[in-house]
Amino acid sequence: AQSVAQPEDQVNVAEGNPLTVKCTYSVSGNPYLFWYVQYPNRGLQFLLKYITGDNLVKGSYGFEAEFNKSQTSFHLKKPSALVSDSALYFCAVGYNFNKFYFGSGTKLNVKP
Amino acid sequence: GAGVSQSPSNKVTEKGKDVELRCDPISGHTALYWYRQSLGQGLEFLIYFQGNSAPDKSGLPSDRFSAERTGGSVSTLTIQRTQQEDSAVYLCASSLGGGAGPYNEQFFGPGTRLTVL
């Protein structure tokens, strides 16, 4: 069965420190991987995606993610966190017939 | 340009009543998705449309749920005989779709918060 796991419900980081939000996936065939962010009282917004090519993908707001096929992971990273990055982050995998599986979300708290 | 819009933004209904939720996708987007987001949960995929066709309805939770899309644009998600467990935020998203399939990013609407008393 296809699935996405975000093992951390919450990640706390100090402003200026690097951040990582973890995601692992299970899918038959080639995975199409996405990260979305949901700010308070706002809709989900696309951050970045991996389809093929370079394992390191760069996206909006200085975020990047690394696709690791052997570990079936697609962790979201940022070298220096901002307080404004505090939000709910969702990892997703695209599958057959345009079906998408989303993780349960990770709440990122960046403290000044 | 205009984004994805959904109406109503909030809906409170009594158990057993039927509700209709509406989604207006971005103009030109042929793919349209419905999701359900329960409190503390991730997004649950419900159904996908390519044009007016829904090739996979297996995500719909029960036969009380149905969806249609007309003219390749507006979509309606209908829940019949609502139950308390149907309370959630219902999100709609659209994307370019077509042959590119799951490559395309989705643009989400603000959601409809459904409360079943």
Side-chain angles (χ1 to χ4, degrees):
Chain A
Q2 331 306 325
S3 66
V4 175
Q6 293 182 243
E8 303 156 316
D9 291 336
Q10 186 167 300
V11 169
N12 298 312
V13 65
E15 187 174 32
N17 284 0
L19 68 88
T20 298
V21 182
K22 296 180 180 177
C23 171
T24 60
Y25 65 90
S26 173
V27 62
S28 55
N30 294 322
Y32 307 113
L33 297 159
F34 302 78
W35 276 100
Y36 286 84
V37 58
Q38 188 174 34
Y39 296 103
N41 300 315
R42 293 172 63 180
L44 275 84
Q45 298 176 30
F46 169 80
L47 271 182
L48 51 79
K49 65 182 178 183
Y50 172 83
I51 303 301
T52 186
D54 289 341
N55 291 341
L56 185 63
V57 178
K58 294 186 182 296
S60 306
Y61 311 120
F63 284 92
E64 59 188 28
E66 186 169 10
F67 171 63
N68 188 317
K69 187 173 183 177
S70 63
Q71 296 184 5
T72 62
S73 67
F74 190 57
H75 300 332
L76 181 70
K77 300 181 179 183
K78 187 173 182 180
S80 178
L82 299 172
V83 172
S84 57
D85 292 330
S86 298
L88 189 57
Y89 290 80
F90 290 94
C91 180
V93 60
Y95 183 62
N96 198 24
F97 292 114
N98 281 288
K99 200 166 187 175
F100 286 82
Y101 295 89
F102 278 74
S104 55
T106 298
K107 185 177 181 182
L108 174 66
N109 294 315
V110 182
K111 299 186 178 181
Chain B
V4 177
S5 61
Q6 292 185 247
S7 60
S9 55
N10 279 285
K11 177 71 176 178
V12 180
T13 190
E14 294 179 348
K15 178 182 173 180
K17 300 283 189 181
D18 297 352
V19 295
E20 282 191 354
L21 312 180
R22 177 188 168 106
C23 172
D24 277 278
I26 292 173
S27 178
H29 280 190
T30 60
L32 186 146
Y33 307 81
W34 282 100
Y35 296 89
R36 179 168 68 175
Q37 185 176 22
S38 301
L39 188 63
Q41 305 290 319
L43 274 70
E44 177 188 4
F45 173 88
L46 297 179
I47 193 169
Y48 149 74
F49 287 92
Q50 176 57 45
N52 292 333
S53 175
D56 185 355
K57 300 181 180 180
S58 62
L60 294 175
S62 76
D63 58 8
R64 297 186 294 105
F65 287 72
S66 63
E68 65 176 14
R69 188 180 185 193
T70 56
S73 181
V74 172
S75 176
T76 302
L77 177 69
T78 301
I79 309 173
Q80 294 179 309
R81 306 181 301 282
T82 52
Q83 304 294 313
Q84 289 183 333
E85 61 262 29
D86 299 334
S87 296
V89 175
Y90 289 82
L91 295 171
C92 174
S94 70
S95 74
L96 287 172
Y103 302 116
N104 292 308
E105 66 183 89
Q106 295 174 51
F107 294 81
F108 283 81
T112 293
R113 183 175 297 276
L114 175 66
T115 303
V116 182
L117 302 176

